[in-house]
Amino acid sequence: MWTKEANVLETDLGDEMVLMHAGLGEMFSLNDSGRVIWQALPATEDTLEQLLITTYGLDADQARADLRSLLSELAHRTLIHQH
């Protein structure tokens, strides 16, 4: 299960989602598909993958690759964690 870190502030600007890690003072911008994933949290990786497939018509391999790339980047920036 992936969840948002508690100290992350978010601002939805319509065409992008801006996240700020309050503890680190770093900002991160998400595109539309990243915003869809962010707003679905907390969720399992399988649920998030299905969301990408349904929302954007991706095949399973592409959805999985895109999702893992995004989750890895968000986790690296301590914006999300898995438990």
Side-chain angles (χ1 to χ4, degrees), residues 10 16 41 45 54 57 62 64:
E10 59 188 67
E16 71 177 324
L41 296 175
E45 199 164 319
T54 303
Q62 185 64 54
R64 188 175 308 112

Side-chain angles (χ1 to χ4, degrees), residues 16-79:
E16 71 177 324
M17 174 77 71
V18 177
L19 309 175
M20 187 179 97
H21 190 294
L24 300 176
E26 293 182 3
M27 296 180 74
F28 188 74
S29 178
L30 298 173
N31 62 14
D32 188 55
S33 58
R35 178 177 3 133
V36 167
I37 296 303
W38 180 261
Q39 291 175 330
L41 296 175
T44 65
E45 199 164 319
D46 288 341
T47 299
L48 297 172
E49 183 180 319
Q50 282 303 311
L51 182 60
L52 287 178
I53 291 168
T54 303
T55 304
Y56 298 101
L58 300 176
D59 64 55
D61 290 338
Q62 185 64 54
R64 188 175 308 112
D66 290 353
L67 178 62
R68 288 187 177 160
S69 176
L70 176 62
L71 293 176
S72 175
E73 182 67 21
L74 292 173
H76 175 73
R77 294 176 180 266
T78 63
L79 298 168

